[in-house]
Coordinates of all heavy atoms in Angstrom, one line a residue:
M1376 N 72.4 103.0 174.7 CA 73.7 102.3 175.0 C 74.6 103.4 175.6 O 74.7 104.5 175.2 CB 74.3 101.8 173.7 CG 75.6 101.1 173.9 SD 76.1 100.1 172.5 CE 76.8 101.3 171.4
H1377 N 75.4 103.0 176.6 CA 76.3 103.8 177.3 C 77.7 103.4 177.0 O 78.0 102.2 177.1 CB 76.1 103.8 178.8 CG 77.0 104.7 179.5 ND1 77.0 106.0 179.5 CD2 78.1 104.3 180.3 CE1 78.0 106.5 180.3 NE2 78.7 105.4 180.8
I1378 N 78.6 104.2 176.5 CA 80.0 103.9 176.2 C 80.9 104.7 177.1 O 80.8 105.9 177.1 CB 80.3 104.2 174.8 CG1 79.4 103.4 173.8 CG2 81.8 103.9 174.5 CD1 79.6 103.7 172.4
D1379 N 81.6 104.0 177.9 CA 82.6 104.7 178.8 C 83.8 105.1 178.0 O 84.3 104.3 177.2 CB 83.0 103.8 180.0 CG 81.9 103.6 181.0 OD1 81.2 104.6 181.2 OD2 81.7 102.5 181.5
T1380 N 84.3 106.2 178.3 CA 85.5 106.6 177.6 C 86.5 107.0 178.7 O 86.2 107.5 179.8 CB 85.4 107.9 176.7 OG1 84.8 108.9 177.5 CG2 84.5 107.6 175.5
I1381 N 87.7 106.7 178.5 CA 88.8 107.0 179.4 C 89.5 108.2 178.9 O 90.1 108.2 177.9 CB 89.8 105.8 179.6 CG1 89.0 104.6 180.1 CG2 90.9 106.2 180.5 CD1 89.9 103.3 180.1
T1382 N 89.4 109.3 179.7 CA 90.1 110.5 179.3 C 91.1 110.9 180.4 O 90.7 111.3 181.4 CB 89.1 111.6 179.1 OG1 88.1 111.2 178.1 CG2 89.8 112.9 178.5
P1383 N 92.4 110.7 180.1 CA 93.3 111.1 181.2 C 93.3 112.6 181.5 O 93.1 113.3 180.5 CB 94.7 110.6 180.6 CG 94.5 110.5 179.1 CD 93.0 110.2 178.9
A1384 N 93.4 112.9 182.7 CA 93.4 114.3 183.1 C 94.6 115.0 182.4 O 95.7 114.5 182.6 CB 93.4 114.5 184.6
G1385 N 94.4 116.1 181.7 CA 95.5 116.8 181.1 C 95.7 118.1 181.9 O 95.0 118.4 182.8
P1386 N 96.7 118.9 181.4 CA 96.8 120.2 182.0 C 95.6 121.1 181.8 O 94.8 120.8 180.8 CB 98.1 120.7 181.3 CG 98.2 119.9 180.1 CD 97.6 118.6 180.3
A1387 N 95.4 122.1 182.6 CA 94.2 122.9 182.6 C 94.0 123.5 181.2 O 92.8 123.6 180.7 CB 94.3 124.0 183.7
W1388 N 95.0 124.0 180.6 CA 94.9 124.7 179.3 C 94.4 123.8 178.2 O 93.9 124.2 177.2 CB 96.2 125.4 178.9 CG 97.4 124.4 178.9 CD1 98.3 124.3 179.9 CD2 97.8 123.5 177.9 NE1 99.2 123.4 179.6 CE2 99.0 122.9 178.3 CE3 97.3 123.2 176.6 CZ2 99.6 121.9 177.6 CZ3 98.0 122.2 175.9 CH2 99.1 121.6 176.3
H1389 N 94.5 122.5 178.4 CA 94.2 121.5 177.3 C 92.7 121.5 177.0 O 92.3 121.2 175.8 CB 94.6 120.1 177.7 CG 94.7 119.2 176.5 ND1 93.8 118.2 176.3 CD2 95.6 119.2 175.5 CE1 94.1 117.6 175.2 NE2 95.2 118.1 174.7
A1390 N 91.9 121.9 177.9 CA 90.4 122.0 177.7 C 90.1 123.0 176.6 O 89.1 122.9 175.9 CB 89.7 122.4 178.9
Q1391 N 91.0 124.0 176.4 CA 90.8 125.1 175.4 C 91.7 124.9 174.2 O 91.7 125.8 173.3 CB 91.0 126.4 176.0 CG 90.0 126.8 177.1 CD 90.5 128.0 177.9 OE1 91.1 127.9 178.9 NE2 90.1 129.1 177.3
A1392 N 92.4 123.8 174.1 CA 93.3 123.6 173.0 C 92.6 123.2 171.7 O 91.6 122.4 171.8 CB 94.3 122.4 173.4
L1393 N 93.0 123.8 170.7 CA 92.3 123.4 169.4 C 92.5 122.0 169.0 O 91.7 121.3 168.4 CB 92.9 124.3 168.3 CG 92.3 125.8 168.2 CD1 92.9 126.5 167.0 CD2 90.8 125.8 168.2
C1394 N 93.7 121.4 169.4 CA 94.0 120.1 169.0 C 93.0 119.1 169.8 O 92.9 117.9 169.3 CB 95.4 119.7 169.2 SG 96.0 120.0 170.9
A1395 N 92.5 119.5 170.9 CA 91.5 118.7 171.6 C 90.2 118.5 170.7 O 89.5 117.6 170.9 CB 91.2 119.3 172.9
Q1396 N 90.0 119.5 169.8 CA 88.8 119.4 169.0 C 89.1 118.7 167.6 O 88.3 118.0 167.1 CB 88.3 120.8 168.7 CG 87.9 121.5 169.9 CD 87.7 123.0 169.6 OE1 87.4 123.4 168.5 NE2 88.0 123.8 170.6
T1397 N 90.4 118.8 167.2 CA 90.7 118.2 165.9 C 91.2 116.8 166.0 O 91.2 116.1 165.0 CB 91.8 119.0 165.2 OG1 93.0 118.9 166.0 CG2 91.4 120.5 165.0
G1398 N 91.6 116.3 167.1 CA 92.2 115.0 167.3 C 93.7 115.1 167.1 O 94.3 116.1 166.6
A1399 N 94.4 114.1 167.6 CA 95.8 114.1 167.8 C 96.6 113.7 166.5 O 97.8 114.0 166.4 CB 96.3 113.2 168.9
D1400 N 95.9 113.2 165.5 CA 96.6 112.7 164.3 C 97.5 113.7 163.7 O 98.7 113.4 163.3 CB 95.6 112.1 163.3 CG 95.0 110.9 163.8 OD1 95.3 110.4 164.9 OD2 94.1 110.4 163.1
F1401 N 97.0 114.9 163.5 CA 97.9 115.9 162.8 C 99.2 116.2 163.6 O 100.2 116.6 163.1 CB 97.1 117.3 162.8 CG 96.0 117.3 161.8 CD1 94.7 117.7 162.3 CD2 96.1 116.9 160.5 CE1 93.6 117.7 161.4 CE2 95.1 117.0 159.6 CZ 93.8 117.4 160.1
F1402 N 99.1 116.0 164.9 CA 100.1 116.5 165.8 C 101.2 115.4 166.1 O 102.3 115.7 166.6 CB 99.5 117.0 167.1 CG 98.6 118.2 166.8 CD1 97.3 118.0 166.5 CD2 99.1 119.5 166.8 CE1 96.4 119.0 166.2 CE2 98.3 120.5 166.5 CZ 96.9 120.3 166.2
F1403 N 100.9 114.2 165.7 CA 101.8 113.1 165.9 C 101.9 112.4 164.5 O 101.5 111.2 164.4 CB 101.4 112.2 167.0 CG 101.5 112.9 168.3 CD1 100.3 113.4 168.9 CD2 102.6 113.0 169.0 CE1 100.3 114.1 170.1 CE2 102.7 113.6 170.3 CZ 101.5 114.2 170.8
P1404 N 102.4 113.1 163.5 CA 102.5 112.4 162.2 C 103.6 111.4 162.1 O 104.5 111.3 162.9 CB 102.8 113.6 161.2 CG 103.6 114.5 162.1 CD 103.0 114.4 163.5
E1405 N 103.4 110.5 161.1 CA 104.4 109.5 160.9 C 105.8 110.2 160.6 O 105.8 111.3 160.0 CB 104.0 108.6 159.7 CG 102.8 107.8 159.9 CD 103.0 106.7 160.9 OE1 104.1 106.1 160.9 OE2 102.2 106.5 161.8
P1406 N 106.9 109.5 161.0 CA 108.2 110.2 160.7 C 108.3 110.5 159.2 O 108.0 109.7 158.3 CB 109.2 109.0 161.0 CG 108.5 108.2 162.1 CD 107.0 108.3 161.7
G1407 N 108.8 111.7 158.9 CA 108.9 112.2 157.6 C 107.7 112.8 157.0 O 107.8 113.4 155.9
S1408 N 106.6 112.8 157.7 CA 105.3 113.4 157.2 C 105.3 114.9 157.5 O 106.1 115.3 158.4 CB 104.1 112.7 157.8 OG 104.1 111.4 157.5
S1409 N 104.5 115.6 156.8 CA 104.4 117.0 156.9 C 103.8 117.4 158.3 O 102.8 116.7 158.7 CB 103.6 117.6 155.8 OG 103.4 119.0 156.0
V1410 N 104.3 118.4 158.9 CA 103.7 119.0 160.1 C 103.0 120.3 159.8 O 102.6 121.0 160.7 CB 104.7 119.1 161.3 CG1 105.3 117.7 161.7 CG2 105.9 120.0 160.8
R1411 N 102.9 120.6 158.6 CA 102.4 121.9 158.2 C 101.0 122.2 158.7 O 100.6 123.2 159.2 CB 102.4 122.1 156.7 CG 102.3 123.5 156.2 CD 102.6 123.7 154.7 NE 101.4 123.2 153.9 CZ 101.4 123.2 152.6 NH1 102.4 123.7 151.9 NH2 100.4 122.8 152.0
E1412 N 100.1 121.2 158.6 CA 98.7 121.3 159.0 C 98.6 121.5 160.5 O 97.9 122.3 161.0 CB 97.9 120.1 158.6 CG 96.4 120.3 158.9 CD 95.7 121.4 158.2 OE1 96.3 122.0 157.2 OE2 94.6 121.8 158.6
A1413 N 99.5 120.7 161.3 CA 99.5 120.9 162.7 C 99.9 122.3 163.1 O 99.3 123.0 164.0 CB 100.4 119.9 163.3
K1414 N 101.0 122.8 162.4 CA 101.5 124.1 162.7 C 100.4 125.2 162.4 O 100.3 126.2 163.1 CB 102.7 124.4 162.0 CG 103.9 123.6 162.5 CD 105.2 124.0 161.7 CE 106.4 123.5 162.4 NZ 107.6 124.1 161.8
R1415 N 99.7 125.0 161.3 CA 98.6 125.9 161.0 C 97.6 126.0 162.1 O 97.1 127.1 162.4 CB 98.0 125.5 159.6 CG 97.0 126.5 159.0 CD 96.4 126.0 157.8 NE 95.4 125.0 158.1 CZ 94.2 125.2 158.5 NH1 93.8 126.4 158.7 NH2 93.4 124.2 158.7
I1416 N 97.2 124.9 162.6 CA 96.2 124.8 163.7 C 96.8 125.5 164.9 O 96.1 126.3 165.6 CB 95.7 123.4 164.0 CG1 95.0 122.9 162.7 CG2 94.8 123.3 165.2 CD1 94.7 121.4 162.8
C1417 N 98.0 125.2 165.3 CA 98.7 125.8 166.4 C 98.7 127.3 166.3 O 98.6 128.0 167.3 CB 100.1 125.3 166.6 SG 100.2 123.5 167.1
G1418 N 98.9 127.8 165.1 CA 98.9 129.2 164.8 C 97.6 129.9 165.2 O 97.6 131.1 165.4
M1419 N 96.5 129.2 165.3 CA 95.2 129.8 165.6 C 94.8 129.5 167.1 O 93.8 129.9 167.5 CB 94.2 129.2 164.7 CG 94.4 129.5 163.2 SD 93.0 128.9 162.2 CE 93.3 127.1 162.3
C1420 N 95.7 128.8 167.8 CA 95.3 128.3 169.1 C 95.8 129.3 170.2 O 96.9 129.7 170.2 CB 96.0 126.9 169.4 SG 95.7 126.2 171.0
E1421 N 94.8 129.6 171.1 CA 95.1 130.6 172.1 C 96.0 130.0 173.2 O 96.6 130.7 174.1 CB 93.8 131.1 172.7 CG 93.1 132.0 171.7 CD 91.8 132.5 172.4 OE1 91.6 132.5 173.6 OE2 91.0 133.1 171.6
M1422 N 96.1 128.7 173.2 CA 96.9 128.0 174.3 C 98.3 127.8 173.9 O 99.1 127.0 174.5 CB 96.2 126.7 174.7 CG 94.8 126.9 175.2 SD 94.9 127.8 176.8 CE 94.0 129.3 176.3
R1423 N 98.7 128.3 172.8 CA 100.0 128.0 172.2 C 101.2 128.2 173.2 O 102.0 127.3 173.3 CB 100.2 128.8 170.9 CG 101.5 128.5 170.2 CD 101.5 129.2 168.9 NE 102.8 129.0 168.2 CZ 103.1 129.5 167.1 NH1 102.3 130.3 166.4 NH2 104.3 129.2 166.5
S1424 N 101.2 129.3 173.8 CA 102.4 129.6 174.7 C 102.4 128.6 175.9 O 103.4 128.0 176.2 CB 102.3 131.0 175.3 OG 102.5 131.9 174.3
A1425 N 101.2 128.3 176.5 CA 101.1 127.4 177.6 C 101.5 126.0 177.1 O 102.2 125.3 177.8 CB 99.7 127.4 178.2
C1426 N 101.1 125.7 175.9 CA 101.4 124.3 175.4 C 102.9 124.2 175.2 O 103.5 123.1 175.5 CB 100.6 124.2 174.1 SG 101.0 122.7 173.1
L1427 N 103.5 125.2 174.6 CA 105.0 125.1 174.3 C 105.7 125.0 175.6 O 106.7 124.2 175.8 CB 105.4 126.3 173.5 CG 106.9 126.3 173.2 CD1 107.3 125.1 172.4 CD2 107.2 127.6 172.4
E1428 N 105.4 125.8 176.6 CA 106.1 125.8 177.9 C 105.9 124.4 178.6 O 106.8 123.9 179.2 CB 105.6 126.9 178.8 CG 106.0 128.3 178.4 CD 107.6 128.4 178.2 OE1 108.3 127.8 179.0 OE2 108.0 129.1 177.3
Y1429 N 104.7 123.9 178.5 CA 104.4 122.5 179.0 C 105.3 121.5 178.4 O 106.0 120.7 179.0 CB 103.0 122.2 178.8 CG 102.6 120.8 179.3 CD1 102.2 120.6 180.6 CD2 102.7 119.7 178.5 CE1 101.9 119.3 181.1 CE2 102.4 118.4 178.9 CZ 102.0 118.2 180.2 OH 101.7 117.0 180.7
A1430 N 105.4 121.6 177.1 CA 106.2 120.6 176.3 C 107.7 120.7 176.7 O 108.4 119.7 176.9 CB 106.0 120.8 174.8
L1431 N 108.2 121.9 176.8 CA 109.6 122.1 177.2 C 109.8 121.6 178.6 O 110.8 121.0 178.9 CB 110.0 123.6 177.0 CG 110.0 124.1 175.6 CD1 110.2 125.6 175.5 CD2 111.0 123.4 174.7
A1432 N 108.9 122.0 179.5 CA 109.1 121.6 180.9 C 109.0 120.1 181.2 O 109.6 119.6 182.1 CB 108.0 122.3 181.8
H1433 N 108.2 119.4 180.3 CA 108.0 118.0 180.5 C 108.9 117.2 179.5 O 108.7 116.0 179.4 CB 106.5 117.6 180.4 CG 105.7 118.1 181.5 ND1 105.3 119.4 181.6 CD2 105.4 117.6 182.7 CE1 104.6 119.6 182.7 NE2 104.7 118.5 183.4
D1434 N 109.7 117.9 178.8 CA 110.6 117.2 177.8 C 109.9 116.3 176.9 O 110.3 115.2 176.6 CB 111.7 116.4 178.6 CG 112.9 116.2 177.8 OD1 113.1 116.8 176.7 OD2 113.7 115.2 178.1
E1435 N 108.8 116.9 176.3 CA 108.0 116.1 175.3 C 108.9 116.0 174.0 O 109.2 117.0 173.4 CB 106.7 116.8 175.0 CG 105.7 116.8 176.2 CD 105.1 115.5 176.5 OE1 105.3 114.5 175.7 OE2 104.4 115.4 177.5
R1436 N 109.2 114.8 173.6 CA 110.1 114.6 172.5 C 109.4 114.4 171.2 O 110.0 114.5 170.1 CB 110.9 113.3 172.8 CG 111.8 113.5 174.0 CD 113.0 114.4 173.7 NE 113.7 114.7 174.9 CZ 114.9 114.2 175.2 NH1 115.4 113.2 174.5 NH2 115.5 114.5 176.3
F1437 N 108.1 114.0 171.2 CA 107.4 113.6 170.0 C 106.3 114.5 169.7 O 105.6 115.0 170.6 CB 106.9 112.1 170.1 CG 108.1 111.2 170.4 CD1 108.2 110.6 171.6 CD2 109.0 110.9 169.4 CE1 109.3 109.8 171.9 CE2 110.0 110.0 169.6 CZ 110.2 109.5 170.9
G1438 N 106.1 114.7 168.4 CA 104.9 115.5 167.9 C 105.1 117.0 167.9 O 106.2 117.5 168.3
V1439 N 104.1 117.7 167.5 CA 104.1 119.1 167.4 C 103.4 119.7 168.7 O 102.3 119.3 169.0 CB 103.3 119.6 166.1 CG1 103.2 121.2 166.2 CG2 104.0 119.2 164.9
W1440 N 104.1 120.6 169.4 CA 103.6 121.2 170.6 C 103.8 122.7 170.4 O 104.9 123.1 170.1 CB 104.3 120.7 171.8 CG 104.0 119.3 172.2 CD1 104.5 118.2 171.6 CD2 103.2 118.8 173.3 NE1 104.1 117.0 172.2 CE2 103.3 117.4 173.2 CE3 102.4 119.4 174.3 CZ2 102.6 116.6 174.2 CZ3 101.7 118.6 175.2 CH2 101.8 117.3 175.1
G1441 N 102.8 123.5 170.7 CA 103.0 124.9 170.7 C 103.5 125.4 169.3 O 104.1 126.5 169.3
G1442 N 103.2 124.7 168.3 CA 103.5 125.2 167.0 C 105.0 124.8 166.5 O 105.4 125.2 165.5
L1443 N 105.7 124.1 167.4 CA 107.0 123.7 167.1 C 107.2 122.2 166.9 O 106.6 121.4 167.7 CB 108.0 124.2 168.1 CG 108.1 125.7 168.4 CD1 109.3 126.0 169.3 CD2 108.3 126.5 167.0
S1444 N 108.0 121.8 165.9 CA 108.2 120.4 165.7 C 109.2 119.9 166.8 O 109.8 120.7 167.5 CB 108.8 120.2 164.3 OG 110.1 120.8 164.3
E1445 N 109.5 118.6 166.7 CA 110.4 118.0 167.7 C 111.8 118.7 167.5 O 112.5 119.1 168.5 CB 110.6 116.5 167.4 CG 109.3 115.8 167.6 CD 109.2 114.5 166.8 OE1 110.2 114.1 166.2 OE2 108.1 113.9 166.7
K1446 N 112.2 118.8 166.3 CA 113.5 119.4 166.0 C 113.6 120.9 166.4 O 114.6 121.3 167.0 CB 113.8 119.3 164.5 CG 115.2 119.7 164.0 CD 115.3 119.4 162.5 CE 116.7 119.9 162.0 NZ 116.8 119.7 160.6
E1447 N 112.5 121.6 166.2 CA 112.5 123.0 166.6 C 112.5 123.2 168.1 O 113.2 124.1 168.6 CB 111.3 123.7 166.0 CG 111.4 123.9 164.5 CD 110.0 124.2 163.8 OE1 109.0 123.9 164.4 OE2 110.1 124.8 162.7
R1448 N 111.8 122.3 168.8 CA 111.9 122.4 170.3 C 113.2 122.1 170.8 O 113.7 122.7 171.8 CB 110.8 121.5 170.9 CG 109.4 122.0 170.7 CD 108.4 121.3 171.7 NE 108.5 119.8 171.7 CZ 108.0 119.1 170.7 NH1 107.3 119.6 169.7 NH2 108.1 117.8 170.8
L1449 N 113.9 121.1 170.2 CA 115.2 120.8 170.6 C 116.2 121.9 170.4 O 117.0 122.3 171.3 CB 115.7 119.5 169.8 CG 117.1 119.0 170.2 CD1 117.1 118.6 171.6 CD2 117.5 117.9 169.3
Q1450 N 116.1 122.6 169.3 CA 116.9 123.8 169.0 C 116.6 124.9 170.0 O 117.5 125.5 170.5 CB 116.6 124.3 167.6 CG 117.2 123.4 166.5 CD 116.7 123.8 165.1 OE1 115.8 124.5 164.9 NE2 117.4 123.2 164.1
L1451 N 115.3 125.1 170.3 CA 115.0 126.1 171.3 C 115.5 125.8 172.7 O 116.1 126.6 173.4 CB 113.4 126.3 171.4 CG 112.9 127.3 172.4 CD1 113.4 128.7 172.0 CD2 111.3 127.2 172.3
R1452 N 115.4 124.5 173.1 CA 115.9 124.1 174.3 C 117.4 124.3 174.5 O 117.9 124.7 175.5 CB 115.6 122.6 174.5 CG 115.6 122.1 175.9 CD 115.2 120.6 176.0 NE 113.9 120.3 175.7 CZ 113.5 119.5 174.8 NH1 114.4 118.8 174.1 NH2 112.2 119.3 174.5
N1453 N 118.1 124.1 173.4 CA 119.6 124.2 173.4 C 120.0 125.7 173.4 O 121.2 126.0 173.7 CB 120.2 123.5 172.2 CG 120.1 122.0 172.3 OD1 119.9 121.5 173.4 ND2 120.1 121.3 171.2
T1454 N 119.1 126.6 173.0 CA 119.5 128.0 173.0 C 119.1 128.7 174.3 O 119.5 129.8 174.6 CB 118.8 128.8 171.9 OG1 117.4 128.7 172.0 CG2 119.3 128.2 170.5
R1455 N 118.3 128.0 175.2 CA 117.9 128.6 176.4 C 119.0 128.4 177.5 O 119.6 127.4 177.5 CB 116.6 128.0 176.9 CG 115.4 128.4 176.2 CD 114.1 127.9 176.8 NE 113.0 128.6 176.4 CZ 111.7 128.5 176.8 NH1 111.5 127.6 177.8 NH2 110.7 129.2 176.4
P1456 N 119.2 129.4 178.4 CA 120.2 129.2 179.4 C 119.9 128.1 180.4 O 118.8 127.7 180.6 CB 120.2 130.6 180.1 CG 119.0 131.3 179.7 CD 118.5 130.6 178.4
Ligands
LIG2118 S1 99.4 125.0 170.3 FE1 99.4 123.1 171.5 S2 97.3 123.0 172.4 FE2 97.3 124.4 170.7 S3 96.7 123.3 168.9 FE3 98.9 123.3 168.9 S4 99.5 121.4 170.0 FE4 97.3 121.8 170.5

């Protein structure tokens, strides 16, 4: 049996992202849920810097990117010139 999957093309660094192996659930938790596990995985990911820059450049509002929560990215964005 052959099952087609639709995988949208992501940024080049995404192929090496740890979250590509773990699945997205940790990184887009329900509001009020802990992001600790997502941050722990991000802390081991070699693509962390690229991921964070991508999220900031594309104004990603939801989920954990580059080890930072939505609130932390907003704070970082507001402190940048
Ligand atoms: S740093 Fe980015 S690419 Fe790496 S695991 Fe975290 S969310 Fe995924």
Side-chain angles (χ1 to χ4, degrees):
M1376 182 165 82
H1377 176 73
I1378 301 173
D1379 287 322
T1380 56
I1381 300 172
T1382 306
W1388 52 264
H1389 197 253
Q1391 295 169 264
L1393 283 184
C1394 57
Q1396 299 166 29
T1397 63
D1400 289 356
F1401 290 128
F1402 300 87
F1403 295 95
E1405 293 293 318
S1408 299
S1409 174
V1410 294
R1411 197 169 77 178
E1412 186 62 15
K1414 287 182 167 193
R1415 190 183 70 79
I1416 295 168
C1417 291
M1419 299 184 290
C1420 179
E1421 293 182 10
M1422 298 298 113
R1423 185 174 174 179
S1424 294
C1426 174
L1427 179 57
E1428 289 304 322
Y1429 176 91
L1431 293 172
H1433 292 83
D1434 200 19
E1435 293 286 355
R1436 297 287 171 100
F1437 302 105
V1439 173
W1440 291 75
L1443 298 187
S1444 67
E1445 298 155 10
K1446 189 176 174 183
E1447 291 166 335
R1448 288 197 309 281
L1449 182 61
Q1450 290 170 344
L1451 179 60
R1452 200 179 295 126
N1453 289 339
T1454 60
R1455 284 187 166 187

